[in-house]
Amino acid sequence: MEFKHTSVLLHETVDAVCVKKNGLYADLTMGGGGHSALILERGGTLYGFDRDAAAIESCEKRFAEMGDRFIPIHRSFEFVKDELKARGVDKLDGAIMDLGVSSYQLDEAERGFSYMNDAPLDMRMDRREQLDAKCVVNTYSEHDLIEVISKYGEEKWAVRIAKFICERREKKPIETTGELVETIKAAIPEGARREGPHPAKRTFQAIRIEVNGELRILDKAVRDCTDMLKKGGRIAVITFHSLEDRIVKNAFNTMAHACVCPPELPVCVCGRRDSVRVITRKPILPSKEELEQNPRSRSAKLRAAEKII
């Protein structure tokens, strides 16, 4: 299956980092390469990160004619500083992050990301990692499952879902997405299943986040990436749920308001300097046209900041 993905907020994101010819850029979540392609088209040199081997392979073929203007890196954005410095890169002109699960990962049933297809429980973005969804579902304690599902999925039925998972796995391990969906549906009262999104959506999101450590590494990655920017360089981040958006928003605001002196002091004495200027006071949302063309973009939010020191 070819790695295809409709890039969300494509022009808004690339416009936000003000791509210039011969500038150095990083796409920290390359996926199908939509944002990367536009950066390359505008003359930038791109370091493309992705945890998914299929994404790396696809983009290597797609951008083969770019020569040394495209450098693929098969690793998580958690290691952006290490990987760039190992290649002699001290500063970037811009960076982007698209934190959504790619259409390819959702649509390829065997990856186990989707509650719409029956497949082995997996959900690993990087298949070199040991922890997968099957392990989380079948080995985490009931208490830990409640914490994961409630914290990362913001699921109000987390206690019942965890209880039903533990009861079912005592008889036989839960091995497929279909079995997990059945368990979740059984846990949520019928009346509560009639409204809102698919009953398994929040739990699947929570398990995926746990498997891939998505929120654990996000704050540090945003800060490290921003630290790699030149003065005037920009970072743009697309999030898809409130937990991600809150982390990005707080990271930007903390870097933009570094002083911790009491407000009654006439001058700053802490010595901390603001390092960024927030470009997006409110997040940029998909247009009506984009929502019609790509319903998966409906929860996307774009935030951007500019390095000022």
Side-chain angles (χ1 to χ4, degrees):
M1 183 176 177
E2 187 179 352
F3 202 113
K4 290 185 176 181
H5 178 66
T6 302
S7 296
V8 173
L9 293 164
L10 174 59
H11 288 276
E12 293 90 339
T13 303
V14 178
D15 288 347
V17 296
C18 301
V19 177
K20 58 187 179 183
K21 190 173 182 181
N22 299 322
L24 295 181
Y25 300 88
D27 184 342
L28 280 297
T29 49
M30 191 164 54
H35 294 101
S36 296
L38 190 54
I39 291 172
L40 289 164
E41 182 184 313
R42 294 185 180 181
T45 292
L46 184 80
Y47 292 86
F49 286 73
D50 208 287
R51 305 165 77 170
D52 196 316
I56 295 292
E57 182 181 353
S58 175
C59 287
E60 283 178 330
K61 293 177 182 176
R62 180 174 181 178
F63 304 132
E65 295 180 358
M66 293 295 171
D68 58 8
R69 285 183 52 219
F70 172 66
I71 305 93
I73 302 174
H74 184 199
R75 211 167 182 201
S76 164
F77 55 61
E78 179 181 7
F79 305 102
V80 57
K81 266 191 173 180
D82 293 341
E83 292 293 337
L84 290 175
K85 289 189 174 182
R87 290 164 174 79
V89 180
D90 291 321
K91 292 294 179 182
L92 295 167
D93 292 286
I96 64 171
M97 301 172 74
D98 176 353
L99 300 176
V101 180
S102 73
S103 299
Y104 169 85
Q105 289 167 332
L106 288 171
D107 294 339
E108 188 183 27
E110 68 176 46
R111 299 298 297 271
F113 283 98
S114 177
Y115 44 79
M116 302 302 290
N117 301 303
D118 191 20
L121 275 172
D122 193 328
M123 300 193 196
R124 289 173 297 170
M125 292 180 178
D126 186 343
R127 287 179 154 180
R128 297 172 298 184
E129 298 292 338
Q130 293 296 312
L131 183 66
D132 61 12
K134 182 178 177 182
C135 180
V136 171
V137 169
N138 290 287
T139 68
Y140 276 32
S141 69
E142 184 171 341
H143 174 270
D144 288 344
L145 283 173
I146 292 170
E147 186 173 353
V148 168
I149 297 168
S150 61
K151 181 179 179 181
Y152 295 154
E154 299 180 297
E155 172 58 76
K156 67 178 182 180
W157 298 103
V159 173
R160 276 179 62 86
I161 291 169
K163 179 176 181 289
F164 275 57
I165 286 174
C166 291
E167 289 176 350
R168 179 161 182 165
R169 75 189 190 189
E170 282 182 6
K171 302 171 186 175
K172 176 184 174 296
I174 299 172
E175 298 182 339
T176 69
T177 55
E179 291 171 357
L180 181 57
V181 169
E182 288 174 3
T183 308
I184 295 167
K185 284 184 175 179
I188 300 176
E190 185 177 355
R193 284 189 264 123
R194 293 198 186 111
E195 298 179 357
H198 190 287
K201 180 179 180 180
R202 295 186 181 92
T203 300
F204 268 63
Q205 171 185 295
I207 294 171
R208 189 202 80 222
I209 289 172
E210 174 67 14
V211 167
N212 296 290
E214 296 172 39
L215 299 186
R216 174 183 57 80
I217 65 177
L218 182 55
D219 178 76
K220 181 178 183 297
V222 170
R223 293 171 184 272
D224 283 352
C225 195
T226 304
D227 193 43
M228 291 292 295
L229 295 176
K230 299 175 183 177
K231 182 177 180 180
R234 290 187 172 190
I235 178 172
V237 185
I238 304 170
T239 63
F240 285 83
H241 55 77
S242 60
L243 299 171
E244 292 173 338
D245 185 57
R246 194 176 307 134
I247 290 171
V248 174
K249 178 183 178 181
N250 289 343
F252 282 176
N253 285 340
T254 300
M255 290 185 285
H257 303 94
C259 178
V260 293
C261 293
E264 60 268 19
L265 288 181
V267 294
C268 172
V269 295
C270 73
R272 298 189 182 188
R273 298 174 62 195
D274 299 347
S275 58
V276 305
R277 176 175 66 91
V278 177
I279 305 299
T280 50
R281 293 300 172 187
K282 291 185 177 181
I284 296 172
L285 306 178
S287 65
K288 181 181 177 182
E289 291 73 22
E290 179 167 6
L291 290 171
E292 291 174 351
Q293 294 171 7
N294 181 17
R296 284 178 176 171
S297 70
R298 63 186 175 275
S299 56
K301 293 181 178 179
L302 170 65
R303 295 185 185 273
E306 180 180 303
K307 191 76 173 292
I308 59 175
I309 59 172

